[in-house]
Amino acid sequence: GLVHSPKNVFMFGRGGAKNLSCIYRIESSSGERVRLSIHNASFGSHGCKTISDSHTSRPVCVRSGRSVELAVSDMPWKDIRLQRACYCDNSVLSRTTAGPTVFLSSGRILEISFAITSFNVTEDYGDIYFHASYQMVRWAECSRQQRLTGSGGEIGLVFPARQKDDVYCEGTPWLVEASGNKSLFLLTWGHFLPLDSVSDSCHTTNRVLLYTGDPLRLMRVVCPSMEKEKEFAVHVFSEEWFGGSAWSRTPPSFLVEFVGREAGNAYLNWLEISKSKSFSAKQVDNGTTWECKHRCPELNACISPGLYCDGYHNCPSGFDEENPDCGVTTKLLSALTPGRILILSVSVGAALILLTALGFVLVCCRPCGSSGSSAHNRQNQRSRSRCSSSSRGGEALLASNSSTISSS
């Protein structure tokens, strides 16, 4: 199909509009991804510049005054929007560019945003525009669960893809979400890099990007280490942990993206944590000293009881496994998940029933002889666009929009 900007003069400055905002969402069917090709665009004359991001080489917009912006966002989940590119000047996308600029979705949805602020009175669709096309590409669904909740876990990141799941999930980020009033702690290995400047302190061109918030914003950039050594460990807490930001409408979350450019891998452990009484006491100064029983003292945080003595070092120091409470019996019981406990209980119950029945048969057979009996039991693809413009007088313009996506 084809995607292009509006061609209605009343939605531009020459027709009396002051601003314009268009959203185009392209959705594929199950087992498909969206491939978008931007062929050309014109942004008029203004102060915004398009530069290359120092960590990902993706185009980003540096705004100055009024702007005309064309942005492409990936939506790995319907409620998660991750911007992949932003263009705002004529130096990047033009008719003379060699070939189209191509994007491939990580899920089933790609979204295009076309926005203009403060039109000049002479501008119309001949001065500011874009043209693109899209097609659906067959792609096996990512079978791995990459949107995670729970008490904790480990994420392995690798490039290039080596296993089938890695190939099918290529480009799909990881999303870790806390529950209720919990916070999040991430442990990875490497060192932090500046967010918006070039740094030559990294031994690899690979990067681990950590996003947070709604809408998503880049929080940390990590130069990954392939060794899980203590001297390379770096800690990241969700923003509300130290009182740096108020609780949002949704629980804390981290979106993790691995930008792979050369062979390598990275690791990330995550924990759902809550504040101990002593931690809270330092903030309210009420003299409380009570501690939670299951905690990571180096983080001054409480963790899920299910993580204690489970055979894995969940605390960075390994305190949850080195505690004297972690005896052999405790480790055995903690290794039994609810499902395993249920199976064990059923097995023990079945054994008791069998022994009881056997005892009854032995008692019965002595006076009754050997006669007996036995019984046997025999189990669409769709696309949408929306544009709105405002007039200089602040009134909405009712004009037909010729920018609807046409299917080829």
Side-chain angles (χ1 to χ4, degrees), residues 6-318:
K7 293 184 178 181
N8 187 324
V9 69
F10 293 105
M11 303 184 78
F12 289 83
R14 193 160 65 89
K18 184 178 180 181
N19 304 303
L20 174 68
S21 177
C22 297
I23 300 293
Y24 307 79
R25 177 177 288 192
I26 308 169
E27 300 185 23
S28 67
S29 300
S30 178
E32 295 178 334
R33 289 190 179 187
V34 181
R35 177 182 289 149
L36 175 71
S37 301
I38 301 179
H39 300 283
N40 56 69
S42 177
F43 298 92
S45 177
H46 55 89
C48 186
K49 297 292 183 183
T50 303
I51 65 171
S52 178
D53 180 78
S54 58
H55 299 295
T56 64
S57 299
R58 295 169 184 161
V60 295
C61 295
V62 180
R63 299 168 183 83
S64 177
R66 85 181 195 100
S67 65
V68 178
E69 295 182 9
L70 177 65
V72 178
S73 296
D74 189 19
M75 299 185 69
W77 299 277
K78 287 193 173 183
D79 58 336
I80 302 296
R81 182 178 289 100
L82 180 61
Q83 190 174 101
R84 296 295 191 185
C86 181
Y87 303 97
C88 66
D89 66 36
N90 296 322
S91 64
V92 181
L93 296 174
S94 66
R95 295 182 184 276
T96 59
T97 301
T101 301
V102 180
F103 299 90
L104 181 67
S105 66
S106 66
R108 293 169 53 185
I109 304 174
L110 272 183
E111 193 171 88
I112 305 171
S113 171
F114 187 57
I116 301 100
T117 59
S118 302
F119 270 119
N120 291 330
V121 293
T122 59
E123 292 175 328
D124 62 17
Y125 54 83
D127 305 301
I128 300 174
Y129 58 82
F130 80 91
H131 294 92
S133 62
Y134 67 91
Q135 65 181 124
M136 306 307 170
V137 180
R138 294 295 301 172
W139 199 285
E141 294 281 346
C142 176
S143 60
R144 186 167 56 202
Q145 177 60 262
Q146 296 196 189
R147 186 167 186 165
L148 307 173
T149 58
S151 56
E154 181 176 9
I155 297 172
L157 308 168
V158 63
F159 181 84
R162 298 169 188 166
Q163 300 179 356
K164 183 169 66 174
D165 281 350
D166 295 327
V167 174
Y168 294 158
C169 300
E170 184 178 1
T172 305
W174 294 79
L175 181 64
V176 181
E177 298 174 293
S179 59
N181 60 349
K182 302 292 181 62
S183 296
L184 287 174
F185 166 76
L186 301 184
L187 167 66
T188 188
W189 290 265
H191 63 272
F192 294 131
L193 296 173
L195 294 184
D196 53 5
S197 62
V198 180
S199 174
D200 57 2
S201 65
C202 189
H203 65 284
T204 175
T205 55
N206 295 340
R207 298 289 186 270
V208 176
L209 307 181
L210 303 178
Y211 300 84
T212 191
D214 183 18
L216 288 172
R217 66 184 184 282
L218 185 62
M219 180 184 184
R220 289 288 192 180
V221 177
V222 179
C223 171
S225 170
M226 297 178 66
E227 301 297 328
K228 298 168 70 173
E229 302 293 339
K230 286 188 176 181
E231 60 265 31
F232 301 126
V234 292
H235 299 176
V236 183
F237 292 84
S238 48
E239 292 181 309
E240 80 295 331
W241 180 254
F242 296 108
S245 64
W247 283 89
S248 62
R249 293 170 298 173
T250 57
S253 63
F254 284 112
L255 186 138
V256 182
E257 183 184 14
F258 185 54
V259 179
R261 294 172 176 163
E262 60 184 78
N265 53 279
Y267 306 95
L268 185 145
N269 292 352
W270 60 277
L271 283 175
E272 196 176 61
I273 59 176
S274 57
K275 290 183 172 67
S276 64
K277 288 292 184 178
S278 63
F279 187 99
S280 301
K282 292 178 182 178
Q283 296 180 321
V284 300
D285 194 24
N286 62 3
T288 306
T289 58
W290 181 83
E291 290 285 353
C292 51
K293 182 177 179 181
H294 305 96
R295 67 187 188 279
C296 295
E298 71 275 30
L299 304 179
N300 206 357
C302 307
I303 64 173
S304 169
L307 299 178
Y308 244 59
C309 309
D310 65 349
Y312 298 94
H313 286 186
N314 298 291
C315 297
S317 66

